[in-house]
Amino acid sequence: MLTVEGLTSAYGRITVLHDICLTVKTGEIVALVGSNGAGKTTLLRTLSGVQPASGGRILFEGKPIEQLEPHARVALGISQSPEGRQVFGPLSVEDNLRLGAFRRRAPDKDTLAQVYEMFPILHEKRHIPAMSLSGGQQQMLAIGRALMAAPKLLLLDEPSLGLAPLLIDQILAAVVALKGQGITVLLVEQNASAALAIADRGYVLETGHVVLEGKGAALLDDPKVRAAYLGL
């Protein structure tokens, strides 16, 4: 579904991503792990078009998209749930969700019902301002908003950030459920053990370079990963 070849990206004169190569196959959960500053968020921003690529190729379903605007990538089937949730606080929960479907021509009632089925608390609080939600509920809202675009590929950036362990389990269970619904997921997560435990495959980023790749279970057992990211 997604192929990245020699991707580079920079902020001014500072190159953040160096010759990134990775693939995400249809129906997979692929985890991207690494420490703070490794370039994980920049990579997702570059894939979604928010951050421009300075070199390399991004192929989605075989077609190059690195020159497309973000809204055009959404229309193709790529949707992102950003780090920090970035919900529209004064708007209601339901209005936040409906904004996620702005590129869709077909009615979104069925998708809205599916989001509410996945996250019942959002239905319960659908008429209140998003700023009134807890951190975990806002994370559910951010994921639900991304799902309203009916994506083929969902980019999830640090969904467990700042959440209590019980809520982390709920969010990651939702990610697994999305795979069961046929949605392909590229998951950026600092919690390496949690991410690799549910991932089919994974990539490890260090200072903007891919330094390891493999099946999720194999990376969990890799001594380098265990020492650097799992504290073992």
Side-chain angles (χ1 to χ4, degrees), residues 78-214:
I78 300 174
S79 187
Q80 181 171 357
S81 176
E83 181 183 11
R85 298 140 199 169
Q86 299 184 31
V87 300
F88 299 98
L91 299 183
S92 72
V93 168
E94 188 155 307
D95 284 344
N96 268 268
L97 291 173
R98 291 189 179 279
L99 281 171
F102 80 103
R103 287 291 304 177
R104 297 181 64 188
R105 297 177 181 177
D108 58 11
K109 291 183 179 179
D110 290 343
T111 308
L112 186 62
Q114 291 169 2
V115 171
Y116 283 149
E117 182 178 1
M118 176 169 287
F119 301 119
I121 191 64
L122 297 183
H123 183 265
E124 179 182 327
K125 297 179 178 289
R126 64 191 182 279
H127 297 309
I128 71 171
M131 68 177 68
S132 301
L133 300 179
S134 69
Q137 292 163 0
Q138 288 189 14
Q139 185 60 67
M140 295 174 190
L141 178 56
I143 295 173
R145 182 179 57 192
L147 293 174
M148 289 295 292
K152 300 174 184 177
L153 174 64
L154 178 62
L155 309 177
L156 282 180
D157 195 356
E158 300 283 9
S160 76
L161 186 65
L163 301 185
L166 181 59
L167 286 172
I168 292 174
D169 291 343
Q170 292 177 6
I171 293 295
L172 294 179
V175 174
V176 174
L178 292 174
K179 176 185 175 180
Q181 296 173 15
I183 297 175
T184 304
V185 179
L186 179 56
L187 170 65
V188 159
E189 184 56 70
Q190 191 172 348
N191 188 336
S193 59
L196 293 173
I198 66 169
D200 298 289
R201 294 186 300 109
Y203 293 85
V204 178
L205 244 64
E206 288 184 3
T207 60
H209 299 82
V210 173
V211 295
L212 285 172
E213 62 179 281

Side-chain angles (χ1 to χ4, degrees), residues 13-58:
R13 296 182 179 180
I14 301 174
T15 300
V16 178
L17 301 179
H18 304 267
D19 195 29
I20 299 292
C21 296
L22 60 82
T23 60
V24 180
K25 299 175 183 177
T26 301
E28 285 188 315
I29 298 174
V30 175
L32 187 66
V33 301
S35 59
N36 284 334
K40 305 185 303 297
T41 291
T42 298
L43 177 53
L44 285 200
R45 288 169 55 86
T46 306
L47 295 177
S48 64
V50 177
Q51 166 70 18
S54 52
R57 304 183 74 199
I58 305 171

